[in-house]
Amino acid sequence: MTSSSSEPDKTSLADQYRDTVFLPRTTFPMRGNLPQQEPKWLEKWRAGGLDERLKQQAQGRPVFTLHDGPPYANGHLHIGHALNKINKDVINRAHRMAGYAVRYVPGWDCHGLPIEWKVEEGYRKAKRDKDSVPVLEFRAECRSYAGNWLNIQMEEFQRLGVQAEWQNRYATMDFSSEAAIAEEIGRFLLNGKLYRGLRPVMWSPVEKTALAEAEIEYHDHTSTTILVAFPVVKDPTPAHALADVSVVIWTTTPWTIPGNRALAYGPEITYVVLRVDETREGAMLEPGARVLVAEALVESFCSETHVSAHHILYTLPGSALAGAVCAHPLRGAGYDFDVPMLAGEFVTTDAGTGLVHQAPAHGEDDFMLCRANGVDVPETVLDDGTYAPWVPGFAGVHVFKAADVVCTTLASVMERANAAGTAPAGLVGRGQIVHSYPHSWRSRAPIIYRATPQWFIRMDGENALRENALKALDNVTFVPAQARNRLTSMIRTRPDWCISRQRAWGVPIAVFVEKRTGEVLRDTAVMQRVVDAFRSEGADAWYTSEPSRFLGEGRNPDDYEQVFDIVDVWFESGSTHAFVLGRPGLSFPADLYLEGSDQHRGWFQSSLLESVGTRGVSPFKAVVTNGFVLDEQGRKMSKSLGNVIAPQDVNDSMGADVLRLWVMNSDTNDDLRIGKEILKQQGELYRRLRNTLRWLLGGLDGFTDAEVVPYAELPELERWVLHRLSELGGLVARAVETHEWVGVYPALHGFCTTDLSAFYFDIRKDALYCDAPSSPTRRAVRTVLDVLHRCLSTWLAPVLVFTAEEAWAARFGEQASVHEQAFFDLPAEWTDTDLDERWARIRSVRRIITTEIEGARRAGTIGSSLQAQVELTFSEEEASIFAGVNWGELAIVSHVEVVIDPTSSSIYVDGDEGGDLHGAPVVRVAEGEKCARCWKVLPETGSNPAYPGVCPRCADVVAQSGFASVSVQAGA
């Protein structure tokens, strides 16, 4: 069927010319379908030997080593694990693509309380007594449990796209690792820093073991507070100001009263002897009673004890209390020792009475002060938190249930003192306080301070570990920088390092103590025999072997105590540098340690102390910390709130690349937030990046090196794009060297959406689709698209590991991986700040033009921008500055007429000319006919009779393509 008109209609013309338009073509799909495609890529990489190729590629390169902090092998990965490992993976991959040799050995912490607790949970469910299980059987069950979860976590990390030497992973329960840990203990033993001593440590009555600071978390806790009177029995004041006076203390731990052995005062604090004149209902003190309290706290004291009227008898400085001695309020009931008053610099008037009771077995300050003054440290509380059988009046009572018992006892004492008319003794007042209190992070139960014999590493003294560790940090880089203060302040104030734990699953502190002297045996040969046995049989050898195996000939095993405490897991993980680093491709010190901010008191600190204490140097050159992951409302994640985001669920619903993008789009220096809406936003950001890659691939269909245009011959717009690439390349390069990645990928996303999709691509679609293949402009565009694809694919590859591979393979095939590529080498000449400033001005003018076009579209004057022509007025200075700019091309309109008004002043630039401001751009309907091929509206459309309905540019391109003229087709 033919048209009755002599001219082909517009629809048929567009159809006939459609095949002459160079529309984008690519196999790279719009939808990523990541949950299904990502596992396929993992299998392709395994089958193709990508890891081995990367290893071969690394030979001869400078080494970059990120040492992996080991997670616990005790459950599925949570979102914090994903954040940490993705962060590390991005840094490792970026260093590899920047030309470094990278060996990343992942590790696991397999010993200690978290594993034991899980195994014991199984016992409790089966109603099995853990203490009845032979220690080697228990250790075997712990090993099996940890090994199972290690393998599960390894698979989950790989599903996240993390590249590592998975077959070469380390675990603290490997025999070689246990031997190395024992050897590190031996180093401290032989250099004299390891000792056994009695002092208070944080103790979990539930887990029956000492805990490290890193195993503690703080929660609000309601405690009973009491005010207790201690009668003065020795008054050193010349005026006998303390005669018949009782010293009143305030404490939040009533259970420590049986352990009291002294009272502390502040030597710089002013105290008063207060006589009670009148009381209100509820008072335990009676009128006439005399008590000693800090002057600054008299008002609050009277309020709490229901004293309505009082009189100050004496005012005296704290120093006047030196030599005073009190009686324990329970004197006569098994507590008949003296209670000396001691000067304590830690005493304040912030709360209470300005006088502090000292239980040396249950507080660090208490212990140090009493020890310094020769006061004994009693053992009053057993490992399960109950009072020992020898504690008068309280034997068998659990300390967390002791408040009522202690208060009842002290109240009875006060009643007797009042009845006898003697100085007050016992309970003066009782209350409650809600305060932040330490809890075990594993059992979630409150902990206590308890003095027990433990093994410590000395922080001070000869070759002081504290001082050396602080000096070592002077040469360490911290990201963020303020993290330095946190770690240094912790080391500056920490006590000696308690490394012993009263548990079964771990590396034993394999030492012997001579029974006669109580001295630890420091013998190199003994230590070496222990290490050799552990290397071949594991730490179980300590439990299966006779002591003589290690002590050797010449020593009677009966003369020695074999220590069975295990070492703190933080010491174990802090020792990992000793058996992971210092091998080929794994430098020591490591270039980088990266973990959560809580590891300033955990792995960062233990690693530093262990390495400095045994080798004199920090194990790391730089430390990077990330924040914690919260939900979208800033709340901690918990099953009860239903706000847990599991990485496995994100992988299955959106893909690991989206989760990885969330990590790198977040401010990891601070706490991060995640939730369904945030992930939805990240999915949208991913879609935009994917569309950018797809557009590039479509525009590069059939591209060859023969099309490349030299830089000097590129149009300004293309050179500006290359300048922007050089800026972004510098951003990536700085991040590689400084480990400061926050903001890098948001900047890349901004470039893709703002500079490319909304600007460059929009402008260059016409040249790309409609210009002839030989056109200098089209060739220039494709030259830049080639560079853009190479740069973006490689820059995105450390994060979007699967998508970048797909985008690379869509162009170059699957034989070579994007992960084998180097970052694109950006020539220095591409950096052109003057050009950037010029194009900033041009884009500002363009925004004004497009705003006017949008107004015309809303008014119904035009439909698409190609239906418009624009009159653009410039001053003479503006015309000079913007000379050579193709405004029609930039504004995507059919024609722009530049009008120069010599009488006007500039509005687009800062000019010196006078005159009135010229007018804004004027948008009109374009004159002419719409080209059926490029859709521009031009007067000359249809001027070539061989190719009716198209503009001269399109007619030439169609003719060059060998396309038969429309008139010939119509004649046929």
Side-chain angles (χ1 to χ4, degrees), residues 264-494:
Y265 61 87
E268 306 299 323
I269 296 174
T270 300
Y271 294 91
V272 298
V273 174
L274 178 153
R275 185 185 69 199
V276 176
D277 294 334
E278 297 178 17
T279 62
R280 297 187 301 275
E281 183 180 354
M284 300 294 290
L285 294 172
E286 291 193 342
R290 299 184 178 194
V291 294
L292 181 77
V293 297
E295 182 180 46
L297 295 167
V298 167
E299 185 176 344
S300 61
F301 169 78
C302 290
S303 174
E304 291 179 41
T305 57
H306 306 288
V307 173
S308 54
H310 67 274
H311 188 73
I312 302 299
L313 299 179
Y314 297 99
T315 300
L316 59 163
S319 57
L321 300 177
V325 178
C326 296
H328 195 285
L330 301 180
R331 177 169 283 196
Y335 299 84
D336 298 333
F337 45 81
D338 286 342
V339 178
M341 297 194 71
L342 308 174
E345 297 296 333
F346 53 83
V347 181
T348 70
T349 56
D350 294 341
T353 63
L355 295 149
V356 182
H357 107 91
Q358 300 292 283
H362 303 298
E364 187 71 25
D365 289 335
D366 308 41
F367 176 84
M368 299 300 291
L369 183 63
C370 288
R371 266 293 179 88
N373 287 275
V375 176
D376 289 339
V377 180
E379 183 181 4
T380 56
V381 178
L382 302 181
D383 61 1
D384 63 354
T386 60
Y387 289 113
W390 51 83
V391 178
F394 305 101
V397 176
H398 197 284
V399 294
F400 290 139
K401 298 179 180 179
D404 288 343
V405 180
V406 171
C407 288
T408 299
T409 303
L410 291 174
S412 298
V413 171
M414 181 62 77
E415 290 174 3
R416 290 197 296 271
N418 289 339
T422 58
L427 191 66
V428 175
R430 176 177 181 172
Q432 280 190 336
I433 186 173
V434 177
H435 59 152
S436 182
Y437 191 85
H439 290 65
S440 164
W441 73 273
R442 176 55 48 188
S443 66
R444 301 292 190 267
I447 60 102
I448 62 174
Y449 273 88
R450 176 174 178 255
T452 59
Q454 300 287 345
W455 289 92
F456 296 89
I457 290 174
R458 188 175 286 106
M459 291 295 298
D460 301 301
E462 185 179 352
N463 196 21
L465 179 54
R466 186 190 316 278
E467 181 182 344
N468 292 340
L470 290 170
K471 284 181 181 176
L473 288 179
D474 289 343
N475 299 318
V476 174
T477 300
F478 285 82
V479 179
Q482 61 267 29
R484 176 187 300 277
N485 298 332
R486 186 172 184 187
L487 184 53
T488 54
S489 65
M490 287 180 172
I491 292 172
R492 198 170 281 121
T493 59
R494 69 159 297 141

Side-chain angles (χ1 to χ4, degrees), residues 838-887:
R838 169 174 165 79
W839 275 84
R841 288 177 170 179
I842 291 172
R843 293 183 73 179
S844 67
V845 177
R846 180 181 185 268
R847 280 191 290 272
I848 295 172
I849 297 172
T850 54
T851 299
E852 296 298 323
I853 292 171
E854 185 58 33
R857 183 184 287 114
R858 286 197 302 270
T861 306
I862 59 172
S864 73
S865 63
L866 286 175
Q867 294 176 351
Q869 65 181 44
V870 177
E871 181 182 291
L872 182 60
T873 303
F874 282 155
S875 68
E876 288 185 330
E877 185 169 354
E878 288 169 337
S880 173
I881 290 173
F882 296 128
V885 176
N886 186 335
W887 291 104

Side-chain angles (χ1 to χ4, degrees), residues 128-169:
R128 190 180 182 192
D129 181 11
K130 179 253 180 180
D131 294 334
S132 68
V133 179
V135 65
L136 288 172
E137 181 182 332
F138 179 70
R139 286 172 61 87
E141 290 192 52
C142 289
R143 181 177 292 277
S144 175
Y145 177 91
N148 177 59
W149 279 111
L150 186 156
N151 290 328
I152 291 172
Q153 289 186 2
M154 187 188 299
E155 291 179 3
E156 291 177 336
F157 279 133
Q158 291 179 70
R159 177 62 186 85
L160 290 171
V162 177
Q163 193 279 332
E165 296 185 15
W166 298 109
Q167 302 311 310
N168 189 34
R169 98 289 176 278

Side-chain angles (χ1 to χ4, degrees), residues 14-40:
D15 289 341
Q16 291 180 58
Y17 288 122
R18 180 174 290 115
D19 291 340
T20 71
V21 177
F22 304 106
L23 293 175
R25 290 192 305 174
T26 177
T27 59
F28 187 77
M30 184 179 297
R31 295 179 62 85
N33 199 19
L34 296 179
Q36 287 72 42
Q37 295 303 317
E38 289 173 343
K40 295 179 182 178

Side-chain angles (χ1 to χ4, degrees), residues 872-882 898-914 916-919:
L872 182 60
T873 303
F874 282 155
S875 68
E876 288 185 330
E877 185 169 354
E878 288 169 337
S880 173
I881 290 173
F882 296 128
V898 174
V899 177
I900 301 174
D901 183 352
T903 66
S904 70
S905 62
S906 301
I907 64 172
Y908 302 124
V909 297
D910 294 329
D912 297 327
E913 69 273 71
D916 296 331
L917 298 176
H918 60 68

Side-chain angles (χ1 to χ4, degrees), residues 7 185 288 348 353 395 505 617 730 800 858 918 961:
E7 288 189 19
I185 297 170
T348 70
T353 63
W505 175 230
V617 297
L800 305 182
R858 286 197 302 270
H918 60 68
S961 70

Side-chain angles (χ1 to χ4, degrees), residues 178-246:
E178 291 181 333
I181 293 164
E183 188 172 22
E184 294 304 297
I185 297 170
R187 290 174 184 267
F188 281 104
L189 172 72
L190 297 174
N191 69 21
K193 285 187 170 63
L194 180 69
Y195 72 94
R196 182 158 69 172
L198 176 74
R199 65 186 305 158
V201 294
M202 288 180 288
W203 184 271
S204 170
V206 174
E207 289 118 336
K208 299 181 184 178
T209 186
L211 296 178
E213 177 67 30
E215 296 171 304
I216 297 300
E217 58 187 18
Y218 287 82
H219 301 291
D220 283 348
H221 182 74
T222 301
S223 295
T224 297
T225 63
I226 55 173
L227 291 150
V228 183
F230 289 69
V232 176
V233 295
K234 180 180 178 183
D235 178 6
T237 61
H240 304 294
L242 301 180
D244 298 322
V245 172
S246 294

